[in-house]
Amino acid sequence: MKTSLVFGDAAAISTGMLAVFAVDLAVSKDAAAHPVLLTTSDSVAGAAEKFLASGEFKAAACETLLLHAPAGVKAERLLIVGLGKAKKLTVQEIRKGAGTAVRFAKPRGIRDVAIAFPEDRALSDEHMDSLPCKRTARALVEGAEIGEPDWDTYKSNRKDLNVWSLQLVARNGDRPATEEIQRGFDEGLTVAEAQNFARRLVNEPGNVLTPTVLGERARWMCGEVGLTCEVHSMAKLKELGMGAFAAVAQGSNEPPALIVMTYTPEGGAAEGAPVLGLVGKGITFDTGGISIKPAENMDKMKYDMAGAAAMIGAMKAIAALKPKVKVVSVVCSAENMPDGKAFKPGDVVTTMSGKTIEIINTDAEGRLVLSDGLHYAKTLGCTHLIDAATLTGACVVALGYLNVGAFANDDAIWATFLGGLEDSGEKFWRLPCTDDYKDGIKSQIADMVNSGGRAGGAITAAMLLKEFADETPWLHLDIAGCAWNEEAKPWLPKGPTGIAVRSIVEWVRSY
Ligand code: BES
Ligand code: MN
Ligand code: ZN
């Protein structure tokens, strides 16, 4: 999709379909819907007037109404997209609305689309200022770009239903506003492209995307955007003493990949400045190993590298946005397989840090690869750590599919992360990992076990990681429930979501 930002009257844009947003002004539950368009274009408002007055369209969230040959508007079709109640309007509704517009066009074969920039000026004073220009522009372009792909990649009769061109049409207004819109648009496009890059990785089946191939794709991306990238395999894991990561990898014929990507700000990193470490779980397929998973839904475990993909995607955006902080990403990729050479329950492994782990369950492999990845990031100079991982089914049980489970050993790093969420529009919910949970991973024979059992499973997994972050400020994102969208939404297709890319990027930018 070729996406551009144009300034002018939306009514004058020639396009297959012009989408315009509407909100419902009705306040009380029982009052009749009172839909109002978020546009100051008299021509666009005029074209829709009769239909809005008819009462058949209520401007509920994701509700759509299509008009053909709208009078006084150059577009062939006018699509009105509802955003829900005016008093609850935020940029997150804009994000969904933009995705809804693009996804409406696709099955109908509409190849070029325009979206009118939502203007809260069209509302009364009390509803204004819910849509700051820059954030709105970002949400628009991100929502549209994230909504566009369909993940039917390997269908032999795949129909190309792609939207080819998208124009976002904003009014020619005062200077600061148009500049803000342009900046939001540029940033949004960069971040959305990075998120879609992550989604393409997650979408690949395990037979295509092996650890080696993940390493090649990361290396290719780094070459394109000017990041340094090293990809190592088993020999290096052994040399570094990564006993936990190597144990997970040893049961597969596919060699592991330790991927290290580095972004250095212009002029180099200042002495004593923070260095951010982005650590990703890259299990390209998780059978569970000797503690093998049931057959049902095992196919889903191709997305067990979504944490790695989030970090690779984030690095792509970071390279383009050029924050003033050094960032090092460590991705630990392996395939978790049962085999004569595989690691077993009861085994004890020695991690790179020197700490030992007793294996209770070979299906708790993510924390093993990350234990070495987190420690390694520290040896590379990282002063602040963040990891992303499809780590536990327990996190899905606890929070469902809407919130990522977040953990931190430091309130300041959590506060910084929270600060970026309004821009990213992603949802995270903090769960505890206080030291009193440490009993849950006690081992008789070693420093800790790799599985604390069912109770508080997301927390005990985080407790193990915390041992390896140790004194370093650290954030852990358990994205197991949010990395794959099981049910298509009007604004989002079924498949990989690219969750956490946007929030990680915002976190990095706040240093
Ligand atoms: N990759 C899984 C976690 C997972 C489950 C991700 C569902 C996405 C959806 C992880 O490696 C795993 O198997 N965790 C176990 C841990 C248990 C053995 C302590 C789990 O959650 O059951
Ligand atoms: Mn597992
Ligand atoms: Zn796993």
Side-chain angles (χ1 to χ4, degrees), residues 24-94:
D24 178 7
L25 280 183
V27 240
S28 80
K29 257 219 207 93
D30 315 313
H34 181 189
V36 182
L37 293 187
L38 293 181
T39 180
T40 55
S41 163
D42 293 335
S43 312
V44 173
E49 202 178 7
K50 215 169 62 196
F51 298 92
L52 288 189
S54 76
E56 66 191 76
F57 178 79
K58 303 192 165 43
C62 299
E63 185 183 355
T64 48
L65 177 72
L66 184 70
L67 309 175
H68 281 265
V73 174
K74 204 158 172 202
E76 290 166 43
R77 306 171 189 81
L78 184 64
L79 179 74
I80 309 176
V81 179
L83 300 177
K85 294 269 191 250
K87 63 172 180 188
K88 290 199 179 147
L89 182 64
T90 68
V91 287
Q92 305 326 328
E93 278 68 56
I94 303 297

Side-chain angles (χ1 to χ4, degrees), residues 326-338:
K326 182 172 175 180
V327 187
V328 179
S329 177
V330 174
V331 165
C332 302
S333 184
E335 199 180 56
N336 188 20
M337 295 288 277

Side-chain angles (χ1 to χ4, degrees), residues 367 391-400 431 453-461 478 480:
R367 64 201 77 179
L391 202 63
T392 65
C395 192
V396 190
V397 173
L399 295 174
L431 295 170
R454 280 173 59 84
I459 298 172
T460 47
D478 192 335

Side-chain angles (χ1 to χ4, degrees), residues 24-307:
D24 178 7
L25 280 183
V27 240
S28 80
K29 257 219 207 93
D30 315 313
H34 181 189
V36 182
L37 293 187
L38 293 181
T39 180
T40 55
S41 163
D42 293 335
S43 312
V44 173
E49 202 178 7
K50 215 169 62 196
F51 298 92
L52 288 189
S54 76
E56 66 191 76
F57 178 79
K58 303 192 165 43
C62 299
E63 185 183 355
T64 48
L65 177 72
L66 184 70
L67 309 175
H68 281 265
V73 174
K74 204 158 172 202
E76 290 166 43
R77 306 171 189 81
L78 184 64
L79 179 74
I80 309 176
V81 179
L83 300 177
K85 294 269 191 250
K87 63 172 180 188
K88 290 199 179 147
L89 182 64
T90 68
V91 287
Q92 305 326 328
E93 278 68 56
I94 303 297
R95 210 181 284 280
K96 291 181 184 173
T100 302
V102 170
R103 294 200 65 72
F104 183 95
K106 288 191 72 175
R108 293 166 176 86
I110 302 169
R111 300 294 195 172
D112 70 296
V113 173
I115 303 180
F117 196 90
E119 298 173 286
D120 56 3
R121 269 179 305 159
L123 301 173
S124 62
D125 286 353
E126 60 168 322
H127 293 107
M128 274 176 60
D129 297 329
S130 49
L131 301 177
C133 285
K134 187 176 169 205
R135 277 201 182 129
T136 304
R138 255 197 78 161
L140 262 185
V141 61
E142 287 172 4
E145 292 287 330
I146 300 311
E148 208 278 339
D150 276 292
W151 304 102
D152 53 357
T153 322
Y154 289 96
K155 279 195 189 293
S156 59
N157 64 346
R158 188 166 194 264
K159 286 196 193 67
D160 177 8
L161 292 172
N162 293 344
V163 170
W164 291 335
S165 117
L166 171 68
Q167 303 177 76
L168 302 180
V169 194
R171 278 236 163 216
N172 237 328
D174 45 337
R175 246 307 177 58
T178 53
E179 279 172 8
E180 289 282 283
I181 290 172
Q182 184 71 53
R183 271 199 288 157
F185 174 84
D186 293 342
E187 276 179 20
L189 202 53
T190 299
V191 177
E193 273 171 8
Q195 186 175 345
N196 279 340
F197 182 72
R199 292 164 90 196
R200 288 199 290 276
L201 296 174
V202 179
N203 178 52
E204 294 290 14
N207 64 326
V208 173
L209 194 100
T210 59
T212 306
V213 172
L214 184 64
E216 281 166 4
R217 301 237 183 146
R219 199 202 296 278
W220 176 84
M221 180 281 287
C222 287
E224 290 277 292
V225 300
L227 296 173
T228 58
C229 182
E230 287 173 24
V231 184
H232 305 288
S233 196
M234 199 53 133
K236 181 76 172 185
L237 306 197
K238 293 273 167 67
E239 182 194 316
L240 291 169
M242 292 182 159
F245 185 178
V248 173
Q250 75 193 30
S252 172
N253 286 336
E254 290 295 340
L258 170 64
I259 306 166
V260 184
M261 297 165 280
T262 308
Y263 164 77
T264 312
E266 224 169 63
E271 226 356 69
V275 178
L276 308 183
L278 277 48
V279 182
K281 169 179 174 182
I283 301 299
T284 58
F285 194 75
D286 181 12
T287 64
I290 297 299
S291 314
I292 198 161
K293 288 180 181 292
E296 199 180 340
N297 292 329
M298 199 204 270
D299 55 292
K300 295 276 149 54
M301 284 301 112
K302 70 167 191 170
Y303 83 79
D304 212 17
M305 36 58 72

Side-chain angles (χ1 to χ4, degrees), residues 355-367:
K355 291 183 179 169
T356 56
I357 306 176
E358 178 188 7
I359 309 303
I360 300 296
N361 190 320
T362 63
D363 197 10
E365 85 295 342
R367 64 201 77 179

